[in-house]
Amino acid sequence: MIPRYLIDFDLEQLPGADVDVVVIGSGVAGLSTALRAARAFRVALLTKSTLTLTATRYAQGGIASALSDDDSPNLHFDDTIRAGKGLCEEEAVWVLVREGPERLRELIDEVGARFDTKNGKLDLTTEGGHSKARVAHARGDATGSEVEASLSRRLMYNKRLEIYEHYYAIDILTASGRCAGVIGMDLESGRLSYFRAPIVVLAVGGMGQLYAITTNPAICTGDGIGMALRAGADIADIEFLQFHPTALHMSETPRWLISEALRGEGAILIDHSGNRIMEGVHPLRDLAPRDTVVNEMVRVMKAPGEDHLLLDATHIPSEKLKQRFPTIYQHCLEAGIDITQVPIPVSPAAHYMSGGVVTDLHGRTKVRGFYACGETACTGVHGANRLASNSLLEGLVFSRRIMEDLSPEVSVGWRELEGIEGINYQFGRSQVAMDVKLLRRFLKQLMLDCVGFRRSRDGLGDAEEFMKKNLEVLRVEYQEAKGFETQNMITLASLMTKAALLREESRGCHYRVDFPGQDEFWRKHIIFQFSDGHVSWELRPIGKLQDKSYDWSLTKISEGK
Ligand code: FAD
Ligand code: SIN
């Protein structure tokens, strides 16, 4: 039995505030939503660390969109669909590729982000799976840092917006079938409090920290999936965890990324004898989609003791390397590797969750008033394998769509919230003390070994056993962020394991050694739902990621007329 809320509470006993919109998360998705929402509404922006400590800040390669004369949204659409291996939602992909160019121009012209240019035009590069050069970048390989900095600068002085740093959102409040706000903890004082609001936008990013080896910063613990599941939203496609092929092979946490853009500029993957490993494997060779590159790397590294390969950029002029990839160059140099002189040791690392909280094309989840955006959401654009540099773009495109949906929702929402008496939740908690540090360490290694890029029924079965034994942790009432995070991590890990066991085929980022082929039957989404303390799953065909319950906005407005 999973409790609906991770903590017991009576809102009447807690300090609280009323706002129109709560945005949880300060990456590209959260900041862009908050920036737009604060033009018209009172907004609280919650973030569990400092404002700028996000995965967004670490993004290197750039933002993909069809901007050059020889490119088009149709070509970007084709590449995204091809990378997604039959599991993308086409309507969502059209939205992404058609609206993407305008959103990027707004980021530059209105928000003030400075992107790299060449001869007066955006300097576009290519990355894995792209048939055209369409990835715009900033400060060479510091795109995310520029995006994060420019968006947060714009937010700072907005009078309608309050920023709450070091505030951990524990759960989404719901009452009378709708979203009612957020309950959370101020991590500096350790005090619980709540925000009452008709609209909550979940933008809490990804979950790489479920794995012992990841490119994701410490904040990426998958909190959003746990929160949204408990609140009644659908969760989909979470078996598709993307590994990035080229993280710097050094024991640091997170692993430092060596951007795919380096391969876009000519770097090649070689084995220890200097042979090119992607030659003859895929027509795009080193720029094949990520799942293909990772699979080939794993195949080549099968010799005992082989745990990394090499990325050779030494044939690229050294001045170009230093100028185009200044942060990668500097980081490697500090680690004792001069990338202009020697090949870089690289290995795959957990990088991106293609699935997440199911939303429609306006960011609505199944729960009235509750939206999701960014990496935590599953709009259906990524399918079984995300195309490189489509993620920042997704955050920009869908945050704007959420804003367009909000106006009627805020007023309808307040009318409904006024009728709700008070919210109080008590649950029979477990008294078992569990060492979350130890549990996390075990979980991360287990996920890497058994629910990583090569999966089998035996390994997944072991993982499932572990999850079942340790789900008890969800019944403990913690008083600290590490405890809540661990509860969310184990929730997500057990769903991922279940989905990976169910999907008896190999597709995109999900590779089953016991089912190596792609199976037409599985052109379906695996959807998880939570109700009355239990999680159930169902299959939905492509084109039907959302069911009718997502139409709440339209239904309500026409009912109100
Ligand atoms: P994030 O940027 O991760 O922000 C999440 C926010 O939620 C943070 O503020 C966090 O503190 C907050 N949060 C989380 N849980 C809670 C909670 N319980 N309570 C309160 N706050 C919470 N994508 C590209 O398109 N192009 C790239 O070049 C690229 N490069 C990448 C390089 C690296 C090293 C990494 C790790 C990722 C890269 N990606 C790239 C992927 C991309 O950066 C992310 O998918 C994207 O930035 C996610 O944005 P987001 O707003 O959804 O989440
Ligand atoms: C990279 O720069 O290789 C990361 C791009 C991405 O994850 O989209």
Side-chain angles (χ1 to χ4, degrees), residues 24-30 46-49 53-56 58-62 167-169 203-206 215-217 219-220 223 227 257 351-352 373-375 386 389-392:
I24 316 174
S26 57
V28 63
L46 318 180
T47 182
K48 70 178 173 180
S49 181
L53 181 50
T54 61
T56 298
Y58 286 84
Q60 294 182 351
Y167 188 95
Y168 189 96
V204 294
T215 61
N216 289 191
I219 50 115
C220 297
D223 299 352
M227 266 190 264
L257 188 76
H351 184 64
Y352 184 85
C373 188
E375 187 167 341
R386 175 181 63 108
S389 289
N390 265 356
S391 173
L392 296 173

Side-chain angles (χ1 to χ4, degrees), residues 155-215:
L155 268 186
M156 280 303 178
Y157 304 104
N158 195 310
K159 286 205 185 81
R160 293 178 201 269
L161 177 100
E162 290 278 355
I163 298 171
Y164 297 82
E165 291 184 302
H166 304 290
Y167 188 95
Y168 189 96
I170 301 171
D171 267 305
I172 309 301
L173 296 166
T174 49
S176 304
R178 63 156 300 121
C179 171
V182 174
I183 184 156
M185 179 181 274
D186 175 331
L187 297 177
E188 276 163 357
S189 66
R191 291 230 320 260
L192 290 178
S193 62
Y194 70 93
F195 293 87
R196 193 168 71 127
I199 305 294
V200 174
V201 182
L202 187 72
V204 294
M207 42 61 71
Q209 287 290 326
L210 257 73
Y211 288 78
I213 295 180
T214 180
T215 61

Side-chain angles (χ1 to χ4, degrees), residues 139-153:
R139 288 188 262 135
D141 54 4
T143 309
S145 161
E146 178 63 18
V147 170
E148 186 74 33
S150 56
L151 283 167
S152 35
R153 258 195 317 269

Side-chain angles (χ1 to χ4, degrees), residues 414-432:
W414 270 122
R415 281 205 298 279
E416 290 185 359
L417 280 193
E418 299 303 345
I420 296 171
E421 283 301 304
I423 311 179
N424 163 328
Y425 180 78
Q426 309 298 324
F427 182 77
R429 300 283 163 184
S430 165
Q431 297 311 314
V432 182

